[in-house]
Every structure is written in structure tokens, then in C-alpha cells.
Amino acid sequence: MTQQETTARAPGGTMATDQVFQVETNGIEPVPDEDRHGGAKDLFWLWFGSNLTFTYVINGALAVAFGLSFWQATGVVVLGGLAFFAISAAGLSGVRTGTATLVISRAPFGVRGNWPPGMLNWVVSIGYTILNTVVGTLALEAFFADLGWVSGHTGRALALLITLALTFVVALWGHATVQFAERWIAYVLAVGFAVLLVFLLPGADTGGAAVRPGASGWSLAFVVMLAGPFSYVPMPADYTRYLPRTTSMRSLTWYGALGGFVSSVALGVAGVAAATQTDMTDAVAGTEKLLPGWFQPLFLALVLGGSVTNSIVTLYSSSLNLQVLGVPWSRSKAIIISAAVTAAGSLCALFLTDFTSSLLSFLSLLIIVFAPWGGVFLTDMIMRRCRYDATALHAGPDGAYWYRSGYHPAGMTALLVGMVFAALTCDSELWTGPLVAPLGGADLTLLGSVVSGLVYWALARRTVAPHTALS
């Protein structure tokens, strides 16, 4: 059964559709087995399309800016891309429960303990949606100017309106349309970015690094590369909850991981190649210098398309996130809140004040929370083998995941320990931990996930186990 043909029933007997170009009425409530559809191959296009974003070009360029040579930076890009195997495997929890990731995370943290990181995740997803919207708007504005159409505030306003509309309409329609759009936009973007690679790779300086990167350069490069895949930890089940329960972990993991790996690595290497040839302080302008004149307008269109594909995924998940936080609206209504905040933030960034760099610094600092959160969540998922009591996840005080007054002591303790470690070893514009200097400038923030995961395992190994019956 195809996505276009599927009609699902929502709880209570009402009809819930998951069809292309129709508003999905299902939200975080579990998707019944009889309404599951699709296959693991769908995940390739979802993760491939959503990661065909210019952000990875910027990340690759940053690795060179940190002092790495072409081959060193390329190695970091590849290792960063491998993280998508963990992200994709986490989607099995959605197959098993039929619900969103931030509902499932009630298991390790408790219903109330899950609320603070859930709120922060919504802030992060909206923040990155704003950043992508700004990047897409500026690219479309430049595209208009190159073609001699409109310019100035009029051109910028029109570009913003188009960028927001492309993102919001697809995300509003929901799951089936998101997957459909990611696939077909990916076809076009893949061709365009392949041509970009053809222009950038031949001129790359593949010689040795001018300076030794040291511990600081290596660690910062890894943080940048891993931050992209890691930012998806709160999302994978959102896009697997409609898959049949019989979907195998092997196929689910490989298809999703290859999608994210191929696109992120290809664009990361493009950024590395560009940075060895020109100044990439302004990554879009720097890349344009290396391209023939006829391709520059098409390049700007690629930047816009990549921004939109990534924003669609984050905006859609934000609507489920709001339901987890208790917003008593349907998914399609809740997304209006996210869209309104995105529009307001984008307007401020483009017309009132340049707060983009400050916002990016703030969002990057939140890895102090999300690295440890991801470590606890993934460890809990492994300990339970993705077998949860799906009913209890939605039961509140009457469910097994209420623990002590809504908090799971093991999960909260592990999260706090991981956050302390991450804060002590974080090196960002807004905060430098006291252990950074003794470590030779190394940023070990991401290891907060390992610390929190180990602490959680030590505290919960005798009490956390797979649910005995799939519900």
C-alpha cells in the first residue's frame, strides 16, 4: 500500500489521513498496526533530502579553518557521517511504539522529567529553522538580484514569504507529504550539488596542513561534524512511527543511515575543498567565487532548496514536540505556533537586527544539554531493545513511566552528571569550561553523551528491561 493510498483511523473512530497533499490528522497518539504503511526505503530519501543542506559545506570549511588539512578534514567529515547509523537505528523505537521520539523519551526520564529537555528541543528546532529560513531567504534574494527582478527590502520580503510558504505548507500537510517532498526535491538537489562538487574538487589543495591542528582543532572539528547528525536524536521515531511493525532493524538502519551519510559527506567534502582554495568566512560568497558565472544563480537556488528541505523536517517535528509539551491542539494547529515564531524570528534577523550569530552561538551552547540527553536516551533504548509499553507512555500518573512524582531518578541523575561534564569541557563563544585549558584546548562536550550513558547504565541496569509484550 502506498502513502498516497493510505487512510488511517485516529483514536475514537474518526478518520485520520496520511496522504500526500492532505492534512495529516494523527499526532503523537500511537499509530495502530492496521494503519501502518510504507517501507524502510522511504527513510533513505527522507534523510538524504533533509541533509542536502549548505550547512554541511560550512561545516567542512570550518574543519579547514581549525587547522586541518584536506585529508584530515575529509576524514573527520566521513566519521561524522557515520553517526547517522546511530540516528537511523533509533528510529526502531518509532516502529515498535507508533509514536514520536519525545514521547518515547518519557521512559528514561519520566513524564515530568522529560518536559524540560522537550522544551529546549523545541527552542533548538525553531532556532535552526529560523537560521535555515534566513539563509534560504538571502540566497533567494541574491537570486532575484542576479536575474534583475526585484531588490532591496521588497526583494527580501518576497524571498522571505516564498521561503516560509515552501516550508510551512509541506510541514502542515504532514508525514506523507514531507516524505514525498523530500524525495522529489532531493532528485533535483542531488544533481545540482553533484555539479557543484565537479567544480570544487579539482582545484582543492590536497597537500599537508599549514599548521598542526592540535587537540583544539581536532576536537572542534569533530564537534562541528557530529553536531549535525546528533541534532536529529530527538526526531527519528517521528518518521518511522507509520512503518509496519515487521520492518527490520537492519533495513531501517541501513537505508536511513546511507541517506544521511551520502549527502552530509558529499557536501562536507565540498566545503573542505572550497576552504583550501578561498576565504570561506562568508561561505556562500566564498563558494560563489569558485563557480562559473552561469552556475551562480543555480547555486543560490541549491542553497534555498537545501534550507527548505531541512526546515521542513525540523518544523514538522516541532509540531509533535508541542503536543508532547501539553499544547491541547492537533498537530496541524500546533504547527501554526512554530511557524509564527519562525516567521517572527526571521523578520527580526532580516529587517530589525542581526542576531543570527548570537542565536547560532546560543544554539551551539545547548549541546551541553543535548549530548547528555542523547546519551541517556540511546542507552535506555539499547537496554530496553526498543521494547516499550506504548500504552504507559501516554498514561501519565497511571503509567509505568511516572516513576517518582513523574521523574526517573536514574535518568535525571545521569543527565545532570553528563551536563556537568559537558559544561566543564565545553569551548564555545559564550562559555569556556575550566577543563578546556588543562586539556590543551580540547572540546570534549560530545563525550557528555558517553558519560551520561554510562552513568545511566550503572544506575538503571537492575531495573530497566524490555517490555515483555508489544502493545
Side-chain angles (χ1 to χ4, degrees), residues 64-290:
V64 176
F66 294 146
L68 275 65
S69 68
F70 175 87
W71 292 113
Q72 289 170 337
T74 297
V76 174
V77 168
V78 171
L79 290 174
L82 292 174
F84 278 102
F85 279 89
I87 303 304
S88 188
L92 183 61
S93 59
V95 174
R96 292 274 173 82
T97 62
T99 192
T101 303
L102 284 171
V103 174
I104 300 165
S105 61
R106 290 169 175 169
F109 298 105
V111 176
R112 287 178 172 169
N114 188 55
W115 199 94
M119 185 64 202
L120 284 175
N121 180 72
W122 182 79
V123 172
V124 169
S125 63
I126 293 302
Y128 279 114
T129 305
I130 291 172
L131 290 174
N132 275 317
T133 300
V134 169
V135 170
T137 298
L138 294 176
L140 186 55
E141 179 189 10
F143 180 81
F144 288 157
D146 285 351
L147 296 180
W149 291 355
V150 290
S151 59
H153 286 330
T154 301
R156 179 167 292 189
L158 178 61
L160 175 60
L161 181 62
I162 293 173
T163 305
L164 286 171
L166 290 173
T167 303
F168 173 70
V169 170
V170 174
L172 174 67
W173 271 323
H175 176 266
T177 309
V178 168
Q179 289 198 320
F180 177 85
E182 293 291 344
R183 175 191 290 265
W184 286 98
I185 296 175
Y187 291 156
V188 177
L189 293 181
V191 173
F193 279 119
V195 175
L196 180 69
L197 275 169
V198 170
F199 288 132
L200 296 181
L201 283 179
D205 179 6
T206 59
V211 295
R212 296 176 63 87
S216 176
W218 281 107
S219 64
L220 288 172
F222 273 110
V223 166
V224 167
M225 294 304 168
L226 289 170
F230 217 83
S231 67
Y232 290 113
V233 172
M235 300 183 192
D238 301 0
Y239 304 100
T240 60
R241 70 193 201 281
Y242 280 99
L243 292 178
R245 202 183 292 273
T246 54
T247 304
S248 72
M249 181 175 180
R250 180 187 296 272
S251 61
L252 178 146
T253 300
W254 274 95
Y255 279 114
L258 286 177
F261 178 84
V262 171
S263 52
S264 65
V265 169
L267 297 187
V269 172
V272 171
T276 64
Q277 303 172 65
T278 189
D279 179 14
M280 290 287 283
T281 303
D282 182 336
V284 174
T287 305
E288 275 192 290
K289 294 177 184 178
L290 303 175

Side-chain angles (χ1 to χ4, degrees), residues 209-465:
V211 295
R212 296 176 63 87
S216 176
W218 281 107
S219 64
L220 288 172
F222 273 110
V223 166
V224 167
M225 294 304 168
L226 289 170
F230 217 83
S231 67
Y232 290 113
V233 172
M235 300 183 192
D238 301 0
Y239 304 100
T240 60
R241 70 193 201 281
Y242 280 99
L243 292 178
R245 202 183 292 273
T246 54
T247 304
S248 72
M249 181 175 180
R250 180 187 296 272
S251 61
L252 178 146
T253 300
W254 274 95
Y255 279 114
L258 286 177
F261 178 84
V262 171
S263 52
S264 65
V265 169
L267 297 187
V269 172
V272 171
T276 64
Q277 303 172 65
T278 189
D279 179 14
M280 290 287 283
T281 303
D282 182 336
V284 174
T287 305
E288 275 192 290
K289 294 177 184 178
L290 303 175
L291 303 174
W294 66 266
F295 188 73
Q296 290 178 8
L298 297 177
F299 165 68
L300 294 172
L302 290 176
V303 175
L304 169 65
S307 298
V308 169
T309 59
N310 193 264
S311 292
I312 287 171
V313 170
T314 55
L315 191 62
Y316 174 79
S317 285
S318 75
S319 63
L320 299 175
N321 195 333
L322 285 173
Q323 288 191 311
V324 174
L325 293 174
V327 173
W329 290 358
S330 66
R331 183 207 61 82
S332 57
K333 289 182 179 179
I335 203 172
I336 296 174
I337 299 176
S338 296
V341 176
T342 298
S346 300
L347 281 169
C348 290
L350 292 165
F351 292 100
L352 300 180
T353 180
D354 183 13
F355 79 113
T356 304
S357 59
S358 298
L359 178 60
L360 185 58
S361 297
F362 170 70
L363 292 172
S364 65
L365 187 63
L366 289 183
I367 197 170
I368 291 175
V369 177
F370 284 102
W373 182 92
V376 174
F377 174 74
L378 294 175
T379 301
D380 181 80
M381 185 187 72
I382 293 171
M383 293 172 71
R384 298 182 194 272
R385 302 175 191 170
C386 287
R387 297 182 183 274
Y388 303 86
D389 184 340
T391 301
L393 288 170
H394 300 267
D398 298 325
Y401 304 121
W402 187 252
Y403 302 111
R404 296 182 184 176
S405 302
Y407 299 90
H408 188 196
M412 300 306 295
T413 301
L415 176 62
L416 290 174
V417 172
M419 287 173 57
V420 169
F421 176 88
L424 292 174
T425 59
C426 176
D427 183 14
S428 70
E429 291 185 14
L430 298 181
W431 167 260
T432 299
L435 295 183
V436 172
L439 291 169
D443 184 334
L444 303 182
T445 314
L446 287 174
L447 288 182
S449 60
V450 178
V451 172
S452 64
L454 290 174
V455 172
Y456 183 71
W457 175 83
L459 296 176
R461 69 185 188 279
R462 300 185 186 278
T463 56
V464 168

